[in-house]
Amino acid sequence: MNIIQLNNVSKSFEQGGQSFTALSNVSLTITKGEYVALIGKSGSGKSTLLNLITGIDHPTGGHITVADTDIHKFGESSLAAWRGKNIGIIFQFFQLIPTLTIIENILLAMEFVNVIPKDQRQNRAKNLLTQVGILEQANKFPSALSGGEQQRAAIARALANKPEILVADEPTGNLDSATAKSIKAIFTDLVAAGTTVIIVTHEDISGTDFDQIIQLKDGQIQPHNSTVSEMK
Amino acid sequence: MSIIFKKSMRDIQQRFRSTLLAILALTIGIWGGGSLLVSFYIMSNDLSANYLLTKPYQLSIQSKDFAKLDLDNLHELPEIAAAEFRDRAILRIEVKPDEWLPLWLYSVEDFDQLSIAKFYPQAGQFPPAKGTIAIERNNLLISQLNVDSVARAQSNGKLIDVKISGIIFDPGQAPSTQDAFIYAYTDEANYTRLSGKATHQKLIIRFNNVKTQQDVKQAYAKLAIQFAAQGIKIEASNIPKFDQHPHQFQLNTILMINGSISFLTFIMSMVLISQLMNSIFTRQTRQIGIMKAIGAKRGHILRIYLTYLLSISAVSIAIGLPLAVLTGKKYSDFIASVLNFDILTTDLPYFIFAIVIVLGFILPVIFSLPMLRNAVHISVNNALADYGIEAGNNASSSRKTSSMGMNIYSLAWRNLARRKGRMLVTMLTMALGVGIFLTGFNVRESLSQFLTNSSNSMQYDLKVVLKNTVPPETASAPFNDIAAISSIEGWLDGVGRVQTDAIATANSIGLVAMPYDNTLNKHDFLQGTWLTGAEQLEFVINQQAASEFAPIVIGQQYTISIAGQDISARLVGMVREFDVAKIYIDIDKYRQIAKLDDEINSLMMVLNDRSYDNVLRVKKQVERVIANQGIEVVYIISEVEYTKIVFDHLNIILTALLILSLLVLSVSAMGMGSAMGINVMERTREIGVLRAIGATPKMVIRLFVMEGFMVSALSVLLGILLALPLSAYGAKFFGNLILGENTPLDFTFSFMGFAITLIVTLAFGYIASRLPASKAIKISVREAIAYE
C-alpha cells in the first residue's frame, strides 16, 4: 500500500533575482512500513524533498499525495494539524523547546494535535521515553541532556501522536558513532513495528537494512549505484 | 496547567531581563499615563467644582443709589438666582515688618447666610467676631498673619490696627501666592470703620438660565433698564469670565500638557513593548517553526505569545495602576495647593480604572500585532531557515570597498542598515523624545523671553498708586529726600487686578494715562505702534482688551468710555502683556476729557541702582514714608516684584512642561536602550566571529558604541527637525492659553536646551550600546559562536 506518492514534482526558488531549481520532475512511491534512505550531496535537493513530503514547503509543480491525502489543498493551520497527526519530524539539531522539560516537549506535541486523550498523555509520554531509553531524564531540560539523549527525546516527541510516517533530517549527523548506532537501532525497531521511516543522511548506508534508497543529484532522482561515502 | 501556558511562563523566566524591561516600560507607561489620567480627571473636575460650589457671581454693579433698590423684590425676579451686597475696598496691610500688600477688604452682610460667592471657615472664629477680620487661608503663605494677630492697615492715610480672628477658604479668589493680595472679610460696620466707605454700593448677582457670558450681558442689559427706571444710576459694572476661576487658564494649560504628554508616554512605552516583542519573536522564530512542524496551529502560536504579552500587561497593570492612582492624587494635591483649591474627588470612578486596564491590555497587543502576525503566519520553512539577522539588501548587491578599506564607521553604518525597520523605529522614538524635550525647553524659553519683554517694558523700578489724583509736585514731594530715587514721573494708572480701582473705563477695562512720549515703557507690540501725540485721540490696547474691541483693525475709530463719557478714538496699536484688559492713552488728552488739572495718581520711580536688593530696600524706605506721612496709597509695587508675580503665574506651567517632557525623553531613551541591547544580543554569534578573526574586545565595543552614537546623532537631528514646528506650535498654543486668544508667544530656540538634549541623548546612546556590548564580550568566543 502506497503511503507517499510524488508525480513530476518540481520546486524552484528565487534567489538573488535568479530562479534556482531545487527539484525537477521528481516522481517516487513509498509504501507503508518502508525504511527509506534519502541520499545525495549537499544542495542535491534532499531537504527540499523532505519538506515537500511533510508539507513544510509547497511544490511549484507536480502532485504529492501522503497517506491518501492531497496535502497541499490544506490551509496552514489544517496542514499543521494534519502533519502533527500523521508525520513525526526529527531534526538534525534535535530542536527541542529549551524552556520545556523533556516530558513537557512530548506533551506539547500531544496538546497541539489533541488526538491522544488528556488522561492518557502522561503515561504515553513516559512509555515513549522508556521506548527510547531516557525515562530517567523526563523532568530535565534539554540543555541538561547529551546530544544523543536529546535526539532520543526528539524521536519520542516525533512519535507522540502515533504518526504513520517518521521523517528524520540527518538525525545522527551531530552524534558520535556509538550514539548514532543506538539511534539507528530505534529507527529499525520502529520500522519493524510498522512505521514508515524516511531518513535523510550523508552517512555511509552500507550495511543498513533500508528498503529503498532514493539518491538525488541536482534535483533529480538518480539510480542508486554507489555508497553515500563515495558521493560526498 | 496547560503546556502552552507553561511555555509562556517559562519564556518569561528565560527572557527574564527582556521581560523585565518590557514590564518596566509598560509599567512606566501605565504609571505615567495613568497618573496623568487620574490627575486630569481630578483636576478638570475639582477646580471648577470648587469654584462653582461657591456660586460665583456673574455680574457686579456699582452704584451709590442702591438705597432705592428693594433686594427682596430683586430676588423675586425669575432670572435672578442670587444677589447680595458685597462691597470691596482696597486698603494696605503690613504683612511683615515694613512689607505691605494690598488688602482687599470685603463687607459681608450675614456670614451665616451666604447665597453667592461663598467661602468656608477653616480656623479661628466664624463668623469673625465683630470688629475683626477673617483672612483667606492662602494669605498665610505670603505673610506673618494668622489667627489672633493684630496687623497695621493703612486706610485713608491713617494707620489702623486690625485683628484677625479667623481663617477662611475662598475658592473664588486667585491664589495669594501668585497675585500677592490679602483677602479679608468682615462685618459691614467694621468695613465702614476700616475703609471709611459706605456699604451697599456694590451688588453681586448670579442669574438663572444663563450659559454664556453673552447671556449674562443680555440679562444685565435688561436689569440695567429696570434699575434706571428705579432711579439707580450704575457707575460701573463688571462681567467676569463666565463661571471660570481666575486661574483656570493655568489649570487648562497644565491639563493640556498632561493630556498630550500622557498620550505620548503611553504611545512611546508601547513602541518600546513592540521592540521588545520583536526581539523575542526574532529569537523564537525557529521555535515557532519547530512547533508548527510538530503540529501547532496558528491559534496555538497566537495563544503562546498572547499569554506572554498579556502576562506582561497584567504584571505591569498590577504595579502601575496603584502607583498611577497614588501619584495622580499626589500630583493633584500639589496642583491644588498651588492653585488654592480643595480636592473634592475621594473615589475615582470605575471607568478610570477600566480605561487604564483596557489600554494596558489592548495597546501592547495592538502595537505587537505586526510581530504577532509574523509569528502566526510565518511558514514552517521560513521559520526553520531563520538564523537571526540577515544581511538584508546589502547582500544582494555588490558594494565597492573604498580604497581606505573597511573602517569602523562604515561597518557601524552598514550594521545599522541591517535592521532598517527597527533602527528607524528606534530613531523615530528617540527623535520624538528629543523633539518633545527640546520643545519643552523652547517653549520655556519663549515664556522666559516673554517675561524678559514684560520686565523690559517697564523701565521704572517702583510704582506708587495714590488713592486720589493730586498735582505732581505734591505727589512726589514726600519722596524727594530719598537719594536712591533718580527720577519720578507722574501718570494716571493702576496695575493688574487693582487697575479698576484706580482708573478704568465704565466696563472695567483698566486705563493707563501717561505722557505719550515717556521713556518708561517699551511695550511688546503685537500690532501697530505706540501713541504718536497726534491731535486726534489715540489709544493702544493690550491683548486682553482685544475681545472688547473685536474685530481689531489698527487705524480704525472705536468708542471708549472715559470718565463717564463715550469718546471716539483711533486704535493705533496692540501690545502683549501679562495683565488684565487695559487701554493706554496720552495723559494730556485724558485730563482734557476728565476735566482734570495737571494731576496724577501714580508715581513712576526710577532708581540709581536697579538691582533686586536695592529696589526692595528703597521700597521699604518708600513704605516708611507713606506710613509716617499718612499718604493715601492704593498700593506700591516694584517692577522686580511684578516680574516675580508674572513668573510665579507661569512657573508652575514651565515646571510641569519640563518634568513631563523629561518623562517622554526617559521613555524614549529606554526604547533606545532596549533596541541597542537587542541589537547586541542578536549579534552575539557575530561578536564571536569578529573576535575569532582577530577583533579585540575594545574594537567590538567601539563598533557598538559607534552604532549607538550614530543612532543618537541621527535621533537628535530628526528631533530638532521635529522640535521646530512643535515649538512654533507650542509658542502659539501656550500664548493663546496663557495670554488670551490670538496672542502667540515668539518662537525661541533654546541653545541651552539643545546642548542638554544633545549631551543627554549622546550619553544615552553611549550607555545603551556600551553596557550590553561590554557584557557580550565577556562571553567566550566558543560560547558566542555557539549562541542561538
Side-chain angles (χ1 to χ4, degrees):
Chain A
M1 182 192 166
N2 293 344
I3 195 159
I4 298 170
Q5 179 85 48
L6 273 75
N7 292 321
N8 293 322
V9 171
S10 297
K11 176 70 185 177
S12 302
F13 298 101
E14 286 290 321
Q15 203 170 46
Q18 289 184 328
S19 182
F20 165 74
T21 303
L23 284 179
S24 176
N25 293 318
V26 170
S27 296
L28 62 86
T29 303
I30 296 171
T31 53
K32 188 170 165 55
E34 262 192 325
Y35 190 17
V36 181
L38 205 51
I39 59 171
K41 285 183 185 176
S42 260
S44 61
K46 303 184 300 287
S47 295
T48 305
L49 182 58
L50 206 63
N51 285 346
L52 293 176
I53 290 170
T54 54
I56 284 174
D57 208 351
H58 296 255
T60 44
H63 194 78
I64 302 171
T65 309
V66 180
D68 294 328
T69 309
D70 183 356
I71 57 172
H72 298 296
K73 285 182 179 170
F74 285 132
E76 190 68 33
S77 279
S78 309
L79 190 60
W82 173 86
R83 185 168 47 236
K85 193 174 170 183
N86 293 283
I87 301 182
I89 303 175
I90 299 155
F91 303 90
Q92 182 181 358
F93 293 103
F94 331 128
Q95 306 291 10
L96 296 165
I97 303 295
T99 49
L100 297 178
T101 62
I102 298 304
I103 195 164
E104 285 168 350
N105 264 278
I106 299 165
L107 290 170
L108 181 70
M110 293 181 192
E111 195 167 317
F112 283 152
V113 178
N114 205 22
V115 289
I116 309 293
K118 278 185 185 169
D119 56 352
Q120 294 175 21
R121 288 179 191 169
Q122 280 279 346
N123 280 340
R124 175 163 175 77
K126 284 178 184 169
N127 288 340
L128 287 169
L129 289 173
T130 307
Q131 191 182 339
V132 296
I134 52 164
L135 179 63
E136 69 281 7
Q137 314 287 11
N139 294 315
K140 291 184 181 168
F141 285 99
S143 57
L145 271 60
S146 69
E149 287 170 327
Q150 286 193 51
Q151 196 58 297
R152 283 163 193 267
I155 293 169
R157 182 181 65 182
L159 296 170
N161 296 304
K162 299 181 184 170
E164 287 183 277
I165 304 163
L166 198 70
V167 296
D169 191 357
E170 309 258 8
T172 53
N174 214 26
L175 303 174
D176 62 75
S177 58
T179 312
K181 199 173 169 186
S182 66
I183 295 293
K184 283 173 189 167
I186 295 173
F187 289 137
T188 312
D189 291 346
L190 288 169
V191 172
T195 308
T196 306
V197 178
I198 305 166
I199 291 176
V200 169
T201 184
H202 258 114
E203 294 170 28
D204 188 347
I205 57 169
S206 57
T208 310
D209 195 15
F210 285 112
D211 298 313
Q212 187 181 174
I213 296 169
I214 300 167
Q215 183 176 324
L216 283 167
K217 187 181 177 189
D218 298 332
Q220 291 183 320
I221 294 180
Q222 300 289 308
H224 173 58
N225 53 9
S226 58
T227 62
V228 173
S229 54
E230 286 170 331
M231 298 172 68
K232 284 182 183 174
Chain B
M1 190 192 295
S2 115
I3 301 293
I4 290 177
F5 184 72
K6 251 185 195 172
K7 180 183 175 342
S8 300
M9 293 301 107
R10 299 264 174 79
D11 283 345
I12 289 176
Q13 276 179 349
Q14 200 203 19
R15 308 268 174 244
F16 187 67
R17 272 183 304 174
S18 301
T19 307
L20 205 62
L21 194 58
I23 289 173
L24 187 65
L26 190 55
T27 303
I28 288 180
I30 289 169
W31 183 8
S35 67
L36 295 176
L37 182 69
V38 167
S39 57
F40 187 94
Y41 173 80
I42 294 174
M43 290 192 287
S44 61
N45 178 60
D46 286 15
L47 178 62
S48 181
N50 270 258
Y51 186 62
L52 292 178
L53 279 174
T54 67
K55 297 200 180 299
Y57 72 89
Q58 292 158 338
L59 168 70
S60 72
I61 302 172
Q62 275 183 270
S63 172
K64 289 191 173 68
D65 301 329
F66 280 135
K68 297 173 188 170
L69 177 72
D70 185 336
L71 201 56
D72 291 335
N73 276 350
L74 188 71
H75 283 137
E76 294 300 314
L77 294 176
E79 62 269 30
I80 302 295
E84 270 185 36
F85 288 112
R86 188 73 57 85
D87 295 276
R88 186 190 70 180
I90 298 184
L91 283 62
R92 303 178 73 237
I93 189 164
E94 191 174 31
V95 291
K96 292 173 190 170
D98 283 334
E99 276 189 40
W100 296 72
L101 285 178
L103 170 70
W104 287 25
L105 181 68
Y106 292 95
S107 74
V108 180
E109 198 169 6
D110 186 348
F111 279 87
D112 294 321
Q113 299 290 326
L114 297 173
S115 62
I116 185 171
K118 295 180 186 177
F119 44 85
Y120 314 102
Q122 292 279 294
Q125 290 181 306
F126 189 87
K130 294 282 179 194
T132 68
I133 61 170
I135 59 169
E136 215 284 326
R137 67 180 188 185
N138 209 230
N139 297 156
L140 305 182
L141 302 175
I142 56 163
S143 71
Q144 292 173 351
L145 306 177
N146 212 327
V147 176
D148 292 336
S149 13
V150 177
R152 291 196 297 169
Q154 192 191 38
S155 173
N156 301 317
K158 292 179 208 154
L159 292 176
I160 311 164
D161 284 341
V162 182
K163 184 174 180 190
I164 296 150
S165 61
I167 307 295
I168 59 97
F169 167 42
D170 186 349
Q173 298 288 11
S176 301
T177 45
Q178 293 186 35
D179 283 21
F181 296 138
I182 301 294
Y183 306 107
Y185 307 77
T186 191
D187 59 90
E188 290 183 334
N190 196 40
Y191 172 84
T192 302
R193 181 181 76 88
L194 294 173
S195 67
K197 286 183 170 180
T199 55
H200 294 201
Q201 297 199 341
K202 184 177 179 185
L203 185 66
I204 54 174
I205 298 170
R206 186 168 175 82
F207 292 101
N208 283 320
N209 305 322
V210 287
K211 291 189 172 70
T212 63
Q213 202 166 17
Q214 196 55 37
D215 293 345
V216 176
K217 281 182 182 172
Q218 285 171 4
Y220 169 48
K222 260 175 74 183
L223 199 62
I225 294 168
Q226 292 179 33
F227 280 6
Q230 293 170 49
I232 299 167
K233 190 187 172 198
I234 295 172
E235 289 170 6
S237 63
N238 183 32
I239 300 173
K241 283 188 179 169
F242 185 75
D243 280 355
Q244 198 179 92
H245 188 274
H247 280 199
Q248 185 70 43
F249 76 95
Q250 283 181 319
L251 193 65
N252 290 345
T253 313
I254 290 165
L255 292 178
M256 278 308 299
I257 300 172
N258 276 7
S260 35
I261 301 276
S262 76
F263 175 74
L264 281 171
T265 310
F266 222 92
I267 293 298
M268 291 176 83
S269 72
M270 292 308 133
V271 173
L272 186 53
I273 292 284
S274 75
Q275 283 180 339
L276 287 162
M277 289 311 293
N278 190 16
S279 90
I280 287 163
F281 290 141
T282 305
R283 296 190 62 178
Q284 296 215 340
T285 304
R286 282 175 66 79
Q287 268 193 41
I288 292 167
I290 303 294
M291 287 190 285
K292 284 188 168 183
I294 64 168
K297 295 181 192 172
R298 287 175 176 171
H300 292 126
I301 303 295
L302 188 66
R303 256 170 64 197
I304 288 172
Y305 293 104
L306 266 185
T307 306
Y308 179 79
L309 205 51
L310 295 178
S311 304
I312 289 176
S313 293
V315 175
S316 304
I317 291 168
I319 302 169
L321 186 55
L323 284 174
V325 172
L326 190 74
T327 50
K329 284 184 173 175
K330 288 280 172 204
Y331 184 58
S332 305
D333 284 344
F334 166 70
I335 299 291
S337 71
V338 172
L339 294 181
N340 190 32
F341 67 93
D342 279 347
I343 295 296
L344 303 173
T345 305
T346 49
D347 296 316
L348 290 167
Y350 290 122
F351 78 83
I352 294 283
F353 295 97
I355 288 173
V356 176
I357 291 170
V358 168
L359 289 181
F361 276 118
I362 286 182
L363 282 185
V365 173
I366 290 174
F367 274 78
S368 302
L369 269 183
M371 279 72 74
L372 282 172
R373 195 182 167 282
N374 282 346
V376 166
H377 286 279
I378 192 169
S379 71
V380 182
N381 206 22
N382 287 341
L384 292 176
D386 187 277
Y387 283 92
I389 291 182
E390 290 169 22
N393 295 337
N394 295 342
S396 60
S397 57
S398 61
R399 185 187 285 274
K400 282 184 184 171
T401 304
S402 74
S403 56
M404 298 290 287
M406 174 67 78
N407 63 35
I408 195 160
Y409 303 106
S410 59
L411 187 59
W413 180 248
R414 285 185 199 181
N415 282 336
L416 289 181
R418 288 161 72 178
R419 283 282 191 191
K420 287 192 187 76
R422 183 192 301 158
M423 279 307 139
L424 198 65
V425 170
T426 306
M427 272 190 280
L428 287 177
T429 313
M430 196 65 202
L432 188 60
V434 167
I436 298 288
F437 192 56
L438 197 51
T439 299
F441 270 101
N442 287 346
V443 173
R444 192 176 198 276
E445 188 72 14
S446 293
L447 283 167
S448 298
Q449 187 64 49
F450 167 70
L451 279 177
T452 310
N453 289 347
S454 290
S455 174
N456 287 343
S457 72
M458 294 169 286
Q459 296 292 306
Y460 51 86
D461 298 297
L462 289 172
K463 177 197 269 191
V464 179
V465 180
L466 306 172
K467 193 174 177 189
N468 302 308
T469 53
V470 289
E473 301 75 30
T474 314
S476 59
F479 308 104
N480 286 343
D481 292 339
I482 302 177
I485 300 172
S486 73
S487 67
I488 299 176
E489 191 169 298
W491 292 5
L492 284 159
D493 183 20
V495 76
R497 293 173 61 203
V498 285
Q499 181 79 42
T500 52
D501 277 61
I503 59 171
T505 66
N507 50 353
S508 297
I509 297 179
L511 202 60
V512 182
M514 67 227 287
Y516 74 91
D517 54 354
N518 82 84
T519 54
L520 299 182
N521 263 8
K522 285 187 180 171
H523 280 297
D524 181 12
F525 277 90
L526 285 168
Q527 288 184 56
T529 56
W530 186 238
L531 305 167
T532 63
E535 273 299 304
Q536 188 189 12
L537 182 62
E538 295 172 332
F539 73 111
V540 168
I541 60 172
N542 69 3
Q543 86 287 345
Q544 290 288 8
S547 62
E548 292 292 329
F549 297 96
I552 299 297
V553 181
I554 300 298
Q556 190 169 298
Q557 293 291 128
Y558 292 88
T559 301
I560 53 177
S561 176
I562 303 174
Q565 301 171 54
D566 289 340
I567 310 281
S568 177
R570 183 167 162 265
L571 178 67
V572 292
M574 180 161 76
V575 298
R576 174 170 50 186
E577 59 187 1
F578 189 76
D579 212 332
V580 295
K582 284 201 302 195
I583 64 175
Y584 296 88
I585 60 169
D586 177 56
I587 193 165
D588 289 337
K589 299 275 189 334
Y590 179 80
R591 284 175 180 146
Q592 284 168 22
I593 296 162
K595 296 186 175 57
L596 287 173
D597 292 330
D598 183 20
E599 289 181 343
I600 58 155
N601 80 333
S602 297
L603 295 167
M604 321 302 284
M605 300 175 176
V606 180
L607 308 188
N608 294 318
D609 175 1
R610 308 192 65 191
S611 64
Y612 183 85
D613 290 341
N614 187 58
V615 171
L616 292 190
R617 192 177 56 78
V618 177
K619 187 184 170 211
K620 285 193 175 182
Q621 277 182 273
V622 170
E623 293 277 17
R624 275 196 290 273
V625 171
I626 290 167
N628 292 341
Q629 299 199 15
I631 300 166
E632 292 189 62
V633 166
V634 180
Y635 65 90
I636 168 171
I637 191 164
S638 65
E639 182 272 327
V640 286
E641 284 172 306
Y642 176 75
T643 304
K644 186 179 176 304
I645 288 171
V646 176
F647 180 79
D648 287 345
H649 277 79
L650 302 183
N651 191 37
I652 181 173
I653 295 167
L654 297 176
T655 309
L657 196 62
L658 270 193
I659 290 174
L660 294 174
S661 51
L662 187 65
L663 181 68
V664 176
L665 186 68
S666 306
V667 175
S668 60
M670 280 178 68
M672 186 166 81
S674 77
M676 298 309 294
I678 293 162
N679 181 35
V680 175
M681 189 172 66
E682 279 180 351
R683 285 159 59 195
T684 305
R685 188 185 289 182
E686 186 181 311
I687 291 172
V689 173
L690 285 173
R691 288 174 62 196
I693 61 169
T696 61
K698 207 173 163 184
M699 284 175 186
V700 174
I701 289 176
R702 232 171 70 204
L703 178 68
F704 283 102
V705 166
M706 188 53 63
E707 289 179 30
F709 268 131
M710 282 179 174
V711 172
S712 308
L714 286 170
S715 303
V716 170
L717 194 70
L718 281 174
I720 292 170
L721 292 177
L722 187 67
L724 295 178
L726 273 181
S727 304
Y729 177 76
K732 186 178 167 192
F733 177 79
F734 287 114
N736 290 343
L737 210 57
I738 295 164
L739 301 173
E741 278 180 34
N742 304 316
T743 317
L745 296 170
D746 294 329
F747 165 74
T748 313
F749 188 80
S750 167
F751 287 97
M752 195 181 82
F754 171 68
I756 291 174
T757 309
L758 187 68
I759 292 166
V760 167
T761 313
L762 290 180
F764 273 137
Y766 177 79
I767 294 166
S769 48
R770 170 79 204 225
L771 287 182
S774 300
K775 197 167 168 254
I777 54 147
K778 285 183 185 152
I779 303 174
S780 72
V781 176
R782 188 189 60 76
E783 285 172 321
I785 288 173
Y787 192 86
E788 259 196 89

